[in-house]
Amino acid sequence: MQGNKIRNLISITDLSVDEIEGLIETANDIEKNPEKYQDACAHKQLATLFFEPSTRTRLSFESAMLSLGGQVLGFSSANSSSASKGESVSDTVRTVGNYADIIAMRHPKEGAPVIAAQRTVVPIINAGDGGHFHPTQTLTDLLTISRKKGRLSDMTIGLCGDLKFGRTVHSLIEATLRYKNIKYVLISPDELRLPDYMTDKLNEAGADYEEITSLEEAMPKLDILYMTRVQRERFFNEEDYVRLKDTYILTPEKLRNAKKDLVIMHPLPRVNEISVRVDDDERACYFYQTLCGKHIRMALILFLLGIKVKEA
Ligand code: NCD
């Protein structure tokens, strides 16, 4: 363990740029030499505490731990845990900290993982807290960009859709603000613009960004297009959701003016915002992203548990 100090991952800035670089290197080595890592977490247990639904994040964490030779336990909805009886997050986490060596947790309330980290001595990974942050999706996104582009600096990133509630967008901006020469094109309807606490961060960093409503107008400039789903579960009323949900639908026609080496990303799940007709475009990287998610989560588990894998 790093100086016996427990490391958590609550926000992506809990990791330095060098540490992220190290995770990317490990993830790339895992892809090339999976057998080297297959027993690295033997006798270790990962708990996945998911108070909100998930397919990719929970299963990729579990698959990551199993591929490291470790074991997994947990629950996949608040209903199947004692949260449904009124138990607090603090008490749940304090209990699970006695069973598992590391905890990945998703919760609908912003800040819940911070409370969790105060209640246990095992590392806590924020697997998404409300409309706030989602740092392991960002690690996934950074690995995808690094593998596809060979760099994490010098590019124009278009973020499109629900920039207000989209936690993956918030964490990706926080992360990329630390790289050189990144331009942001923020594409959303007025009601789903980036929240003030995020534009404040862009302004403080002196970032180059524009906020626009037209995806077509943005398209030719982009090196990365990051599409997002309108976050239905965070809306106060269904009418607003229905009015806004199909604002952006990416189609092959809309990609006509795009760069030849554009990287099209989406954290998934997709609803309507990318036509399935785009899936066969070689620039569509959203299913490749899910593979990157497994590799980087393997690297993260090793890092937080302080496990070094010896050269074969
Ligand atoms: C995202 C999430 O949960 O925030 N999904 C994911 O983890 N891959 C995006 C979303 O739900 O829209």
Side-chain angles (χ1 to χ4, degrees):
M1 197 78 249
Q2 306 91 8
N4 282 335
K5 197 177 171 305
I6 300 299
R7 294 286 302 263
N8 302 300
L9 179 61
I10 308 294
S11 149
I12 191 69
T13 50
D14 292 339
L15 295 168
S16 69
V17 169
D18 285 349
E19 285 169 339
I20 290 176
E21 186 57 41
L23 292 177
I24 290 176
E25 270 171 33
T26 306
N28 287 337
D29 194 48
I30 285 170
E31 184 185 39
K32 280 192 216 99
N33 306 299
E35 67 294 336
K36 215 168 104 182
Y37 295 85
Q38 66 194 7
D39 299 316
C41 284
H43 313 297
K44 297 284 184 197
Q45 298 183 16
L46 163 80
T48 51
L49 310 186
F50 276 60
F51 297 86
E52 259 193 354
S54 167
T55 297
R56 273 147 294 271
T57 306
R58 187 171 63 83
L59 294 182
S60 71
F61 262 117
E62 297 191 358
S63 173
M65 191 53 160
L66 294 171
S67 298
L68 291 166
Q71 288 159 315
V72 295
L73 63 159
F75 52 81
S76 56
S77 77
N79 287 344
S80 60
S81 78
S82 284
S84 63
K85 300 180 188 169
E87 186 174 54
S88 67
V89 172
S90 294
D91 288 359
T92 304
V93 167
R94 204 166 162 178
T95 304
V96 177
N98 289 329
Y99 307 150
D101 300 285
I102 183 165
I103 296 174
M105 171 184 154
R106 169 171 288 191
H107 200 280
K109 288 225 173 72
E110 286 82 3
V114 177
I115 306 290
Q118 291 162 356
R119 293 292 180 272
T120 181
V121 293
V122 306
I124 296 286
I125 303 171
N126 177 8
D129 62 327
H132 202 206
F133 291 138
H134 192 347
T136 65
Q137 181 63 45
T138 298
L139 291 174
T140 300
D141 300 338
L142 294 176
L143 178 62
T144 309
I145 296 172
S146 142
R147 283 178 174 176
K148 288 286 167 189
K149 289 274 177 211
R151 63 180 195 279
L152 290 170
S153 54
D154 305 301
M155 60 184 83
T156 300
I157 305 179
L159 298 140
C160 177
D162 187 346
L163 309 188
K164 181 177 180 185
F165 297 117
R167 55 194 174 193
T168 62
V169 166
H170 305 161
S171 287
L172 184 57
I173 291 176
E174 276 225 303
T176 47
L177 272 177
R178 299 191 291 180
Y179 296 92
K180 277 200 298 255
N181 193 24
I182 302 286
K183 296 194 177 86
Y184 301 92
V185 186
L186 306 172
I187 311 149
S188 74
D190 214 34
E191 286 129 299
L192 298 179
R193 281 173 55 199
L194 204 63
D196 289 346
Y197 74 90
M198 287 304 305
T199 41
D200 287 350
K201 287 184 188 185
L202 287 164
N203 290 329
E204 273 160 33
D208 182 338
Y209 74 95
E210 58 177 313
E211 294 182 277
I212 62 172
T213 52
S214 162
L215 175 58
E216 286 84 341
E217 201 184 302
M219 194 65 85
K221 316 178 203 177
L222 306 180
D223 299 300
I224 307 284
L225 172 58
Y226 195 93
M227 296 296 294
T228 62
R229 163 182 80 89
V230 175
Q231 306 278 300
R232 181 182 204 159
E233 64 277 35
R234 318 243 180 261
F235 273 67
F236 292 111
N237 69 69
E238 183 70 7
E239 253 166 63
D240 285 347
Y241 169 72
V242 170
R243 185 166 49 79
L244 293 167
K245 70 182 173 63
D246 291 331
T247 314
Y248 302 104
I249 301 179
L250 184 65
T251 58
E253 294 71 36
K254 290 189 187 149
L255 282 165
R256 269 194 207 120
N257 294 329
K259 290 189 179 171
K260 295 274 166 285
D261 60 351
L262 173 71
V263 173
I264 306 168
M265 299 172 67
H266 190 309
L268 302 179
R270 131 175 85 182
V271 185
N272 254 342
E273 54 285 347
I274 302 183
S275 158
V276 290
R277 291 187 297 127
V278 175
D279 295 1
D280 293 332
D281 189 307
E282 57 183 22
R283 294 168 290 187
C285 295
Y286 27 95
F287 288 104
Y288 178 64
Q289 248 171 294
T290 62
L291 177 66
C292 294
K294 175 175 171 174
H295 295 152
I296 204 79
R297 287 185 174 102
M298 287 174 76
L300 179 68
I301 291 169
L302 290 172
F303 173 77
L304 293 178
L305 288 176
I307 294 173
K308 296 243 177 338
V309 173
K310 288 191 198 75
E311 285 308 313

